[in-house]
Structure formats: C-alpha cells, structure tokens
Amino acid sequence: NRRFARAAGLQRELGHSFGADKAHEVLQWCLELGIPAATIWVLSTDNKGRDPQELAHILGLLEREARQLAVDPRIHNNRVRVRAIGQHDGFPAHVLAALKDLEDKTAHYDGMRLNIAVGYGGREEIVDAVKAHLQAQVGAGYTLTQAAEALTPDHISAHLYAADTPDPDFIIRTSGEIRLSGFMLWQSVYSEYYFCDVYWPGFRRVDFLRALRDFQGRDRRFGK
C-alpha cells in the first residue's frame, strides 16, 4: 500500500485507504466464483511497530471496515463467517469491539469463511498453538514432559487461530515480492504460490483471473 502511494505521488495513508477498498473488490470476486475460504493479510506483527500515526490510520480503517462488513448485505446473504486472526493485544478497545461485533454477528454462518489477518505473524501463530496445546494438556493432568513427548502436528493444527479453516490451496502475493513474509507458515506446506508484480491497491480482476488460470494448470502432488 505504501509503495503504491509513493509511486502515485500520494500520501501513504491514501495507499492504505485504497488497499481497504481493494479488499472489498476481492471479496466480491471470491463470492462470485464460489471460493469457500479466503484470508486477507491486513497487518503483520512487524507492522505493529510502524509510525504511530500510520498505525492509527490502519487501525481506524480496520474498525471502519469491520463495522461496514457487520451490516454488509453480501456478508449476510451469502452467510459469510468472518474472523479476525492474529495477536490483538494493544489494539484500542473500540477497534476490538468492532471486530468482536463482526465475529459475533457472523459466527453462526456456514457459507464462505473470511479470515482477516491483523496483528498476524506465522511464527507467532505456531508458538501460540504450541502454548495452547501444552497448557490444555497440563490442565488435563498431564505433566509438561508427557505433553511434549506426545506432541504431534495434528495437535498444533488444532490450535491455530482459524483451526477449522482448510489449509490454503493457493496464495497470491502482490507487489513483486518473491517471499511469503511469514504468511500462514504452518498451513502453506502444500499451497501453490503466485507472485504478481502489481501493488495490492492496483490489483485488478484480470490479474485475479490470470492467477486462478495459472493455478488451474498446475499439477498438485501434495509431497507425493
């Protein structure tokens, strides 16, 4: 978003605003194509250390978008379940309230699953999952040594932020970066990747369809 704004000679805050608008467009494309689950990465754990003014603008957009989605007919007509995943400590109370309201209003829906990754980091998610499992085992009467010795990948998967969301088949990274930057490290072991040069706010429907066409032509072997 910031590089998009810089290239267009705009203030960085406008880049984030355009990025938020793009998320609405991508949601519409996913609904039209019947995609069952999608995760949009809004803010990483590293991003939480950005300039306070910029971070405040991003969180303000997050609150605005959460309140809009809570009353968006597309969400309710398509029974979209929305969740915010990540570490949200330090977020303003009004932002947390907006996210909780959105989650509560869609918690019973059985349609598309939309995850908003905010304050999210793949390493942090894995650490939190391991902690949650060990704490649950100790609470059930096992020693920490017993819990650690019995630990399996399924145990970690069961404690991820959105554990009931299928692992992503396809991950699109915009902006010309050839890296995931920690996005869904655990879940992406068999994901297909697509790297697109266009910045996120400039991501067009034709870019989206081109990416999906590329995915459809791949031979997925799932490590076999």
Side-chain angles (χ1 to χ4, degrees), residues 38-219:
T39 300
I40 296 179
W41 199 1
V42 174
L43 184 76
S44 72
T45 49
D46 292 335
N47 295 157
K48 291 168 71 176
R50 285 186 175 180
D51 173 75
Q53 181 179 346
E54 180 181 8
L55 184 59
H57 179 73
I58 294 172
L59 292 177
L61 286 173
L62 177 63
E63 179 185 5
R64 185 195 74 183
E65 296 304 307
R67 297 196 183 283
Q68 288 183 355
L69 287 176
V71 296
D72 191 329
R74 297 178 303 169
I75 296 296
H76 301 288
N77 292 340
N78 291 282
R79 300 182 62 80
V80 179
R81 182 180 181 185
V82 188
R83 280 179 296 190
I85 62 172
Q87 297 179 345
H88 306 149
D89 51 296
F91 283 11
H94 52 89
V95 175
L96 295 176
L99 292 174
K100 185 178 186 305
D101 180 61
L102 173 59
E103 291 181 333
D104 289 347
K105 286 181 176 176
T106 64
H108 61 290
Y109 285 161
D110 55 4
M112 176 186 176
R113 297 179 185 183
L114 175 63
N115 298 318
I116 302 172
V118 56
Y120 175 87
R123 287 179 172 177
E124 288 79 3
E125 180 177 28
I126 294 170
V127 170
D128 285 348
V130 173
K131 285 181 178 178
H133 173 71
L134 294 179
Q135 289 168 350
Q137 291 297 294
V138 170
Y142 296 96
T143 67
L144 190 58
T145 298
Q146 289 173 325
E149 289 178 346
L151 183 67
T152 69
D154 286 342
H155 291 144
I156 296 176
S157 294
H159 287 89
L160 297 174
Y161 296 146
D164 60 346
T165 299
D167 290 346
D169 294 306
F170 194 42
I171 296 176
I172 300 173
R173 175 66 194 262
T174 59
S175 304
E177 300 289 354
I178 313 298
R179 53 185 168 83
L180 292 184
S181 302
F183 181 70
M184 304 192 96
L185 290 177
W186 185 268
Q187 303 94 320
S188 63
V189 61
Y190 296 124
S191 301
E192 296 290 327
Y193 306 136
Y194 183 86
F195 300 100
C196 179
D197 288 336
V198 68
Y199 295 125
W200 170 251
F203 190 62
R204 303 164 299 170
R205 183 183 178 90
V206 66
D207 298 313
F208 186 59
L209 295 176
R210 187 176 292 127
L212 294 182
R213 189 178 304 114
D214 183 272
F215 171 74
Q216 288 174 326
R218 299 189 186 185
D219 177 22

